C-alpha cells in the first residue's frame, strides 16, 4: 500500500502558511526539551521526512496512537482545507524516521488507511482522541490517517 493524498477541501479552519512554519519551529524546540502531548493528551512523536520538492530533511511533531509494531498519525492540520506538508512528503517517499521522547529513533514506512481499516481507525480515534473527530466537521476534505510501520 502507498500514501495517497486526497483532494484539498474548499472550506476549513484558516491556517496561514507563515504561521505553520513558525508554530512548527516552536513545537520542535519544546519536543526536544521535554517531550509533549497533544491538547487531547496523545503522546507526540517527531516525524522526519524528505521534502517532496526540496529533498531536504523536514520534521513535524505529531500526536499518535500506538498499535502492535506500528503507529497511527492523523493528517488533520486542525481542520484546515489543505493537507499538512508532511503528507505530501510521505506520498513522494514513504520511508521516514520517527523519534520518541527520550531520543529513540525508529525507521518506518508509511501507508494510507482505506475502507474498513480507516473506519476502524476513526472509531478508535473517537474514543482515545476526540479532538481529531471535531476537525472532520471543520473541513470538507477527507482527513487521512496513516499507519507508520517499523521497517
Amino acid at each position: 500500500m502507498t500514501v495517497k493524498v486526497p483532494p484539498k477541501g474548499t472550506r476549513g479552519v484558516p491556517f496561514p502558511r507563515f504561521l505553520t512554519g513558525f508554530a512548527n519551529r516552536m513545537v520542535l524546540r519544546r519536543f526536544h526539551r521535554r517531550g509533549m502531548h497533544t491538547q487531547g493528551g496523545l503522546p507526540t512523536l517527531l516525524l522526519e521526512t524528505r521534502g517532496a520538492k526540496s529533498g531536504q530533511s523536514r520534521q513535524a511533531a505529531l500526536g499518535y496512537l500506538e498499535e502492535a509494531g506500528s503507529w497511527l498519525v492523523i493528517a488533520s492540520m486542525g481542520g484546515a482545507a489543505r493537507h499538512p506538508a508532511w503528507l505530501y512528503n510521505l506520498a513522494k517517499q514513504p520511508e521516514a524516521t520517527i523519534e520518541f521522547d527520550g531520543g529513540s529513533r525508529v525507521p518506518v514506512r508509511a501507508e494510507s488507511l482505506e475502507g474498513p481499516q480507516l473506519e476502524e481507525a476513526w472509531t478508535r480515534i473517537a474514543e482515545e482522541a476526540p479532538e481529531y473527530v471535531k476537525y472532520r466537521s471543520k473541513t470538507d476534505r477527507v482527513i487521512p490517517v496513516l499507519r507508520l510501520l517499523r521497517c
Side-chain angles (χ1 to χ4, degrees), residues 4 6 8 16 18-19 24 27 33-34 42 56-57 61 63 69 77 82-83 93 101 110-111 117 123 129 143 148:
K4 297 180 181 177
K8 289 189 281 187
F18 78 89
L19 185 59
N24 194 50
V27 167
R33 271 187 270 147
R34 57 186 156 105
L42 285 184
Q56 295 179 350
S57 178
M77 201 157 154
R82 70 183 199 288
H83 298 291
Q93 184 175 341
D101 185 21
E111 64 177 29
Q117 286 185 335
T123 299
I143 296 178
L148 303 176

Side-chain angles (χ1 to χ4, degrees), residues 33-65:
R33 271 187 270 147
R34 57 186 156 105
M36 56 189 285
H37 288 75
T38 66
Q39 288 180 343
L42 285 184
T44 304
L45 59 76
L46 188 67
L47 175 68
E48 186 175 329
T49 61
R50 289 273 156 215
K53 294 179 183 175
S54 70
Q56 295 179 350
S57 178
R58 302 289 186 214
Q59 295 181 326
L62 307 173
Y64 69 92
L65 295 171

